[in-house]
Amino acid sequence: MVTLSVTVQELDKQLHNLLAEAQNGAKIVISSSGKPLAQLVPPDSDKKKIQFGVLRGKAKVAEDFDAPLPDEILAEFEGRECVS
């Protein structure tokens, strides 16, 4: 990835060109008085789209998955001592 550095003044004059550079994969560091203020980076194109149903038939949920917790475990979640 190419990195370009521009000042705030240059950004004001060249925004359209810098946006095109970012779209082509460049990272632009925007600075003022020699100090970096922000970065203009290309959007993430590597994000994978969600695919629903990929585990269908591969995962099993137990019949009692939503059964009440035992008193000892429930007491720990609630921060109290178990009485039983």
Side-chain angles (χ1 to χ4, degrees), residues 17-38:
N17 294 334
L18 293 170
L19 288 172
E21 290 286 339
Q23 189 175 19
N24 290 328
K27 178 174 78 170
I28 294 101
V29 177
I30 304 162
S31 60
S32 178
S33 302
K35 296 179 182 178
L37 297 176

Side-chain angles (χ1 to χ4, degrees), residues 8-83:
V8 173
Q9 293 79 18
E10 292 171 323
L11 176 69
D12 192 35
K13 296 175 189 174
Q14 302 178 20
L15 182 59
H16 184 73
N17 294 334
L18 293 170
L19 288 172
E21 290 286 339
Q23 189 175 19
N24 290 328
K27 178 174 78 170
I28 294 101
V29 177
I30 304 162
S31 60
S32 178
S33 302
K35 296 179 182 178
L37 297 176
Q39 290 183 7
L40 182 61
V41 295
D44 290 336
S45 59
D46 296 340
K47 288 187 177 179
K48 295 182 180 181
K49 296 190 183 213
I50 296 174
Q51 293 181 346
F52 293 100
V54 295
L55 293 178
R56 182 170 291 147
K58 297 179 183 176
K60 181 181 175 188
V61 178
E63 287 185 33
D64 65 345
F65 81 99
D66 61 348
L69 293 172
D71 286 338
E72 307 83 46
I73 296 175
L74 187 58
E76 288 186 35
F77 274 107
E78 295 176 344
R80 59 181 173 81
E81 289 187 30
C82 182
V83 184

